[in-house]
C-alpha cells in the first residue's frame, strides 16, 4: 500500500517494547546514581563504629544498672527513676554514719586502754623507784676473774674500811666490785677479754640504774687509785645538771692497722685513714649522770659497741644534748706527779700511768701510791656532798 502524504513514519519499538529515553536524561541519571552510590558507601563505612559505640553505651548503662540495683529481679529492671537513686544514696549515707559511729567508739576504747596502761606503768615505775635505794653515786670497779690481787690491793687501801651498810649510812654512796666481793651483778653469757669491755660497761650501767637511784654512776678500772672524797666533791659541783659526762676528754687516732693495740676494725666509719675519734672520756675512770645511765639501760639493745670501750661510751652520747666536762683531776699520774699537784693545792681524784693505761704493776704499787697521793683515811668520812 502506498504512503499517505504528510504522515511520519512510525518509530520502532525498543527492547521489551519500551519507549526510548533522550541522551541527556541518561547522562543525568548516571551522575545521580554515582552520587547515591558514594553516599551509601560512606554510610556503610561509618556504621560499624556507630554500632560499637552504641553497644558500649548500652554496656555501661547495664553495668551501672547492676551496681545501683544489685538485688532487683530481672523483670523489674528498667529506666531509672529519680526516687530510686535518692533511696540508694540515703541507704549509703546511713551505712557510712553507722561505720563512723563504730570507729569513734573503738577509738574511745583504745584511748581509754592506753590511758589505763600508762597509769599502770607509772604506778609500777613509782613503786620500783621507791624500792631502789637513793644514793649520791654508785661506783663500779671493772675487774676480771684473774685479777684477785688487784682487788685485794683496792680493799686494803683506798676503799673505806667497814660494812656496806655503814658506807650507805655515812656517805650515801656505794662501792661495788663486779664479779666478786659484793656480787651485786651477774653478767650472764659474758665473755672476758679486752674487746668485751664495751659489753661489760653497758651491762654495768643498765644493772646499776635498775638497782640504785643515784645522781651519778661511775666506772673505774681496778688498776686506778681513787680519792673518794675528791670524787664526791667533784660530782657535787655538777649535780644540778641533768645530762653530764665527766672524765678526762681525749681524741686519739683511729688505728686501722691490724695487730696493733687498740686496733679499730670499723675504722672506715670514721672517715679517711689517719683521722681521729670524736671527743670522749678516757676509759680508766669516768662518771655519767642519772639520765644518761637510764638512756643506756633503755636503749642497750640498739647501742653499737666498738672495739674500744671508751669510744663506745662516747659514741652513745653523740647526737644527745650532753655536757662534756673535761676534769684533769681524774687523770693524774702516780708519784711524784700527784704529790706535786697536791702541794700546789690541786689534789687528785684519780691517779694512774698513761704508759700502762692504768697503774703499772698496780697490785704491788697501790699501797705506795695511796700513802703518797691519798687524801687520808678520814677525808672520805668528813667530805660534804
Amino acid at each position: 500500500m502506498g504512503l499517505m502524504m504528510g504522515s511520519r513514519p512510525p518509530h520502532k519499538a525498543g527492547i521489551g517494547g519500551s519507549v526510548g529515553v533522550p541522551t541527556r536524561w541518561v547522562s543525568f541519571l548516571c551522575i545521580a546514581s554515582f552520587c547515591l552510590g558514594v553516599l551509601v558507601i560512606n554510610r556503610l563505612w561509618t556504621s560499624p563504629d556507630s554500632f560499637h559505640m552504641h553497644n558500649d553505651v548500652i554496656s555501661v548503662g547495664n553495668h551501672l544498672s547492676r551496681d545501683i540495683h544489685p538485688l532487683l529481679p530481672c523483670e523489674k529492671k528498667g529506666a531509672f527513676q529519680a526516687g530510686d537513686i535518692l533511696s540508694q544514696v540515703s541507704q549509703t549515707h546511713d551505712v557510712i554514719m553507722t561505720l563512723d559511729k563504730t570507729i569513734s567508739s573503738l577509738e574511745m576504747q583504745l584511748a581509754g586502754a592506753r590511758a589505763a596502761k600508762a597509769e599502770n606503768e607509772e604506778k609500777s615505775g613509782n613503786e620500783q623507784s621507791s624500792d631502789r635505794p637513793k644514793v649520791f653515786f654508785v661506783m663500779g670497779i671493772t675487774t676480771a676473774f684473774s685479777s684477785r690481787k688487784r682487788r685485794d690491793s683496792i680493799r686494803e687501801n683506798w676503799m673505806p674500811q667497814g660494812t656496806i651498810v655503814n658506807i650507805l649510812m655515812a656517805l650515801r654512796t656505794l662501792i661495788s666490785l663486779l664479779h666478786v666481793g659484793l656480787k651485786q651483778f651477774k653478767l650472764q653469757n659474758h665473755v672476758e677479754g679486752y674487746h668485751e669491755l664495751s659489753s661489760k660497761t653497758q651491762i654495768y650501767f643498765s644493772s646499776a640504774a635498775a638497782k640504785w637511784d643515784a645522781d651519778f654512776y661511775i666506772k673505774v678500772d681496778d688498776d686506778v687509785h681513787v680519792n673518794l672524797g675528791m670524787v664526791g666533791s667533784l660530782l657535787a659541783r655538777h649535780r644540778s645538771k641533768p645530762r653530764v659526762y665527766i672524765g678526762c676528754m681525749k681524741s686519739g687516732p683511729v688505728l686501722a692497722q691490724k695487730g696493733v693495740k687498740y686496733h679499730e676494725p670499723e675504722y672506715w666509719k670514721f672517715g679517711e685513714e689517719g683521722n681521729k675519734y670524736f671527743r670522749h672520756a678516757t676509759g680508766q675512770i669516768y662518771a655519767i649522770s642519772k639520765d644518761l645511765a637510764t638512756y643506756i639501760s633503755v636503749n642497750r639493745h640498739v647501742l653499737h659497741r666498738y672495739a674500744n670501750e671508751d669510744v663506745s661510751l662516747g659514741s652513745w652520747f653523740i647526737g644527745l644534748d650532753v655536757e662534756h666536762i673535761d676534769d684533769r683531776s681524774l687523770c693524774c699520774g702516780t708519784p711524784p706527779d700527784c704529790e706535786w699537784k697536791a702541794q700546789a693545792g690541786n689534789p687528785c681524784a684519780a691517779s694512774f700511768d698513761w704508759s700502762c693505761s692504768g697503774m703499772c704493776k698496780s697490785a704491788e704499787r697501790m699501797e705506795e701510791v695511796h700513802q703518797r697521793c691519798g687524801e687520808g683515811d678520814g677525808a672520805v668520812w668528813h667530805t660534804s656532798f
Side-chain angles (χ1 to χ4, degrees):
M1 292 174 42
L3 297 173
M4 294 181 64
M5 184 172 294
S7 62
R8 293 180 181 180
H11 290 284
K12 294 183 177 179
I15 297 175
S18 60
V19 181
V21 180
T23 303
R24 62 178 179 271
W25 286 104
V26 172
S27 300
F28 175 79
L29 290 174
C30 289
I31 294 172
S33 298
F34 175 78
C35 293
L36 180 62
V38 171
L39 180 62
V40 171
I41 291 298
N42 289 337
R43 295 284 294 179
L44 290 175
W45 275 106
T46 57
S47 63
D49 292 338
S50 300
F51 177 78
H52 289 304
M53 289 177 64
H54 178 67
N55 286 343
D56 291 342
V57 171
I58 294 175
S59 176
V60 171
N62 291 337
H63 180 69
L64 292 174
S65 177
R66 288 194 299 269
D67 287 346
I68 298 176
H69 300 281
L71 300 179
L72 287 177
C74 295
E75 61 271 13
K76 291 186 179 180
K77 290 182 178 179
F80 294 113
Q81 300 296 327
D84 295 334
I85 297 176
L86 291 176
S87 177
Q88 292 296 323
V89 171
S90 178
Q91 292 178 13
T92 304
H93 178 73
D94 292 340
V95 172
I96 293 175
M97 292 297 294
T98 303
L99 289 175
D100 186 62
K101 291 179 180 179
T102 303
I103 293 173
S104 298
S105 177
L106 291 175
E107 287 179 343
M108 291 177 64
Q109 294 178 20
L110 180 60
R114 286 175 174 170
K117 181 181 178 182
E119 183 178 357
N120 291 334
E121 289 179 350
E122 184 178 358
K123 290 180 180 179
S124 177
N126 291 337
E127 291 175 358
Q128 184 179 5
S129 297
S130 61
D131 292 339
R132 292 185 302 163
K134 175 64 179 176
V135 296
F136 178 35
F137 67 83
V138 175
M139 177 177 285
I141 304 173
T142 56
T143 185
F145 290 108
S146 59
S147 300
R148 180 176 179 177
K149 290 184 178 180
R150 289 186 178 184
R151 296 191 293 273
D152 289 341
S153 68
I154 291 175
R155 291 193 185 97
E156 295 168 359
N157 292 283
W158 61 262
M159 179 180 289
Q161 300 298 311
T163 65
I164 196 66
V165 176
N166 288 336
I167 294 176
L168 283 171
M169 291 176 61
L171 297 179
R172 301 186 67 209
T173 184
L174 178 65
I175 313 298
S176 61
L177 291 177
L178 303 183
H179 297 300
V180 295
L182 304 175
K183 298 195 182 291
Q184 263 89 16
F185 307 109
K186 296 179 180 179
L187 306 187
Q188 297 178 352
N189 301 323
H190 179 69
V191 180
E192 289 293 342
Y194 176 79
H195 292 293
E196 299 299 328
L197 289 178
S198 295
S199 177
K200 180 187 288 189
T201 300
Q202 191 179 84
I203 295 173
Y204 159 63
F205 282 120
S206 299
S207 302
K211 194 171 184 64
W212 293 282
D213 180 16
D215 293 331
F216 295 97
Y217 298 85
I218 304 172
K219 175 263 177 181
V220 59
D221 289 345
D222 63 358
D223 56 354
V224 175
H225 179 269
V226 178
N227 284 324
L228 287 174
M230 286 299 305
V231 169
S233 298
L234 184 159
L235 296 178
R237 296 196 296 268
H238 305 289
R239 68 188 310 171
S240 61
K241 302 174 182 178
R243 292 171 299 277
V244 290
Y245 173 32
I246 306 172
C248 290
M249 300 296 165
K250 65 175 184 177
S251 179
V254 181
L255 302 180
Q257 185 179 355
K258 292 183 178 180
V260 301
K261 193 175 183 180
Y262 308 129
H263 165 63
E264 177 57 71
E266 297 181 89
Y267 62 89
W268 58 274
K269 290 185 178 180
F270 297 91
E272 299 297 329
E273 194 168 328
N275 280 359
K276 292 185 176 182
Y277 288 113
F278 41 79
R279 289 285 173 183
H280 61 280
T282 186
Q284 287 81 1
I285 182 172
Y286 49 73
I288 61 176
S289 56
K290 182 192 332 190
D291 286 358
L292 298 184
T294 303
Y295 172 81
I296 294 174
S297 178
V298 171
N299 299 284
R300 61 187 179 278
H301 300 300
V302 295
L303 294 177
H304 186 68
R305 296 186 293 272
Y306 290 99
N308 299 295
E309 165 252 340
D310 51 356
V311 172
S312 294
L313 184 78
S315 71
W316 299 340
F317 303 146
I318 293 293
L320 302 182
D321 185 14
V322 176
E323 182 179 354
H324 290 56
I325 298 175
D326 182 22
D327 196 310
R328 311 313 291 184
S329 70
L330 289 171
C331 51
C332 295
T334 55
D337 180 67
C338 55
E339 290 180 305
W340 295 339
K341 291 179 179 176
Q343 294 172 3
N346 299 310
C348 297
S351 299
F352 57 89
D353 300 306
W354 284 104
S355 59
C356 297
S357 298
M359 188 184 300
C360 301
K361 299 180 179 180
S362 62
E364 293 80 12
R365 298 181 57 221
M366 186 65 72
E367 182 179 3
E368 174 199 356
V369 173
H370 183 63
Q371 290 178 352
R372 298 177 61 178
C373 297
E375 60 190 351
D377 295 337
V380 67
W381 305 106
H382 298 91
T383 301
S384 176
F385 299 149

